[in-house]
Amino acid sequence: MLQYLSTKEDREAFIDKYDNFLFDCDGVLWEGTNTFDGVAESMTLLREKGKRVFFVTNNSTKSRSSFLKKFEGFGIKAELEEVFSSAFATAAYLKHVLQFPEDKKVYIIGMDGIKDELAAEGIRSCGGEEDAGLTDNDSVPDDKEVGAVVIGLDTKVNYKKYSKAFAYLTRNPGCYFIVTNEDTTFPQHGSFYPGAGAIAAPIIAALGRHPDAVLGKPAQNMLEAIYAESHIDPKKTCMIGDRLDTDIEFGMNGGIDTLCVLTGITTKEQLLSPDNRIRSTYYMDSFGDFSK
Ligand code: PLP
Ligand code: CA
């Protein structure tokens, strides 16, 4: 039964029930470049009560250290080890799960966050934000060193980048196809823009197959990484998010309780619709309300 945390007493009882809180970022702590009222104070309150916090974002455009600067700018305390992003998860997956060979490199359609996280794991890459792709008369270069194509949000994506990615995936035997996250849209400047799921769609269509791996929520890779580092008890852990098919499904898949806030993607009407396949344990208007 979906419980509304409407009063101060409801919210205090909620905080007392859990030791660990996993936070989705965009839509819960901030929207783009603006933080929500009371967020920094609410985070301080949780820390003062000795709660552990982790930040779990599907945004692959920044490295973990760039995210720390964003937290700092909003006056929200965060440590590097508390931040889990889809770019970080992608690098960890290539390194530890696929044991990506040292003599291979990754072709990126995506922003610097992916390149930086791969570099932090010692994985070589090419392409990325500034890759202009081919010139009009070029054919796709044969580069047998490309052993994986990673696609995330790329605001400079173009047909030539797609042509390279497609060529590597079809010509290089065993070349992995990895998508950082499947968000079809993301919010910015009060509007919605095509997300990484939309950027990857043309390659999925051209190949006629799905990626070998998608790392962002609702996939469990970031939750597994959190458990590996911190041994938290799932029964004492709650995931706080704004989107049902990423954040709340992520918590549900991991068997942890979930709180949906209404400062992001999901409207109250959508949340309360009887047709929902995905249901949170709780909802409240804004995470910032904990400090009120
Ligand atoms: N992907 C991109 C490119 C984004 O900019 C955002 C939010 O800003 C997201 C995904 C969703 O991030 P989160 O999981 O923190 O809501
Ligand atoms: Ca979100």
Side-chain angles (χ1 to χ4, degrees), residues 4-17:
Y4 180 35
L5 304 180
S6 62
T7 66
K8 198 168 171 54
E9 291 70 40
D10 291 339
R11 296 194 283 270
E12 280 172 0
F14 166 83
I15 292 177
D16 288 345
K17 188 170 175 195

Side-chain angles (χ1 to χ4, degrees), residues 161-178:
K161 290 187 184 183
Y162 280 134
S163 303
K164 279 190 181 178
F166 182 70
Y168 299 137
L169 285 164
T170 48
R171 284 186 201 163
N172 293 4
C175 186
Y176 296 111
F177 174 27
I178 296 174

Side-chain angles (χ1 to χ4, degrees), residues 58 70 83 105-106 127 161 178 233 244 255 287:
N58 273 5
K70 184 160 183 165
V83 180
K105 64 185 175 189
V106 173
K161 290 187 184 183
I178 296 174
D233 177 357
L244 296 177
F287 167 63

Side-chain angles (χ1 to χ4, degrees), residues 24-26 56-59 61 153 181 183 186 217:
D24 162 55
C25 296
D26 197 85
V56 190
T57 178
N58 273 5
N59 186 346
T61 63
L153 181 84
N181 62 298
D183 300 48
F186 69 96
K217 299 165 287 185

Side-chain angles (χ1 to χ4, degrees), residues 152-217:
L153 181 84
D154 187 336
T155 56
K156 295 175 185 165
V157 69
N158 60 49
Y159 185 77
K160 292 167 181 178
K161 290 187 184 183
Y162 280 134
S163 303
K164 279 190 181 178
F166 182 70
Y168 299 137
L169 285 164
T170 48
R171 284 186 201 163
N172 293 4
C175 186
Y176 296 111
F177 174 27
I178 296 174
V179 175
T180 56
N181 62 298
E182 271 181 333
D183 300 48
T184 49
T185 58
F186 69 96
Q188 195 167 267
H189 312 310
S191 181
F192 288 98
Y193 291 78
I199 300 290
I203 292 295
I204 294 170
L207 289 174
R209 73 171 177 97
H210 288 287
D212 297 307
V214 179
L215 282 306
K217 299 165 287 185

Side-chain angles (χ1 to χ4, degrees), residues 224-245:
E224 285 159 14
I226 291 170
Y227 285 149
E229 278 192 15
S230 57
H231 309 291
I232 56 175
D233 177 357
K235 289 197 183 57
K236 300 289 277 177
T237 303
C238 189
M239 170 74 199
I240 305 177
D242 70 302
R243 188 168 184 142
L244 296 177
D245 65 355

